[in-house]
């Protein structure tokens, strides 16, 4: 096979697990393809790591958002109770047991 054919086989079958042995044989004989394979592996690992970090950051932001919403809702509840005519002391006494 010519080098161009090796590259074609490499890219056509890169994700085909059934053809992994053939890809490995090509990598052993073609230094350029071995280097490309190493770069692709590094990029894939970096991408997965970026996704993991983004997922963790999203989780933290979701928690903070839920906490802020709960805090805001609690304040609104107190405002509603004050508007209904309850005194602040009465509200505190009722919420002390919660």
């Amino acid at each position: 096979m010519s080098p161009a054919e090796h590259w074609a086989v490499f890219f056509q079958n890169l994700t085909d697990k059934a053809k992994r042995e053939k890809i490995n044989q090509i990598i052993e004989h073609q230094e350029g393809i071995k280097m490309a394979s190493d770069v692709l592996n590094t990029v894939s690992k970096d991408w997965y790591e970026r996704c993991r970090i983004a997922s963790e950051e999203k989780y933290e932001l979701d928690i903070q958002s839920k906490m802020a919403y709960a805090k805001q809702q609690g304040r609104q509840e107190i405002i509603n109770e004050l508007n209904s005519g309850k005194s602040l002391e009465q509200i505190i006494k009722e919420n002390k047991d919660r």
Side-chain angles (χ1 to χ4, degrees), residues 28-40:
E28 287 177 19
H29 294 95
Q30 294 288 326
E31 184 63 29
I33 295 176
K34 180 183 182 333
M35 291 171 59
S37 178
D38 292 343
V39 169
L40 285 173

Side-chain angles (χ1 to χ4, degrees), residues 7 44 56 59 90:
W7 279 102
S44 294
E56 287 177 2
Y59 174 78
Q90 187 178 6

Side-chain angles (χ1 to χ4, degrees), residues 8-58:
V9 170
F10 174 74
F11 283 117
Q12 286 175 347
N13 300 298
L14 187 59
T15 58
D16 187 348
K17 292 183 182 194
K19 307 260 174 117
R20 194 72 212 150
E21 188 175 328
K22 181 67 175 171
I23 296 295
N24 288 338
Q25 289 172 357
I26 291 171
I27 289 171
E28 287 177 19
H29 294 95
Q30 294 288 326
E31 184 63 29
I33 295 176
K34 180 183 182 333
M35 291 171 59
S37 178
D38 292 343
V39 169
L40 285 173
N41 286 334
T42 300
V43 169
S44 294
K45 288 176 188 173
D46 290 346
W47 182 80
Y48 284 114
E49 183 65 12
R50 284 192 304 274
C51 288
R52 186 189 62 76
I53 290 169
S55 178
E56 287 177 2
E57 289 173 350
K58 182 186 178 305

Side-chain angles (χ1 to χ4, degrees), residues 73-83 88 91 95:
Q73 287 300 103
R75 288 183 182 157
Q76 186 61 47
E77 185 178 315
I78 291 171
I79 292 169
N80 291 342
E81 290 181 13
L82 287 170
N83 287 337
L88 187 56
I91 295 169
N95 286 296

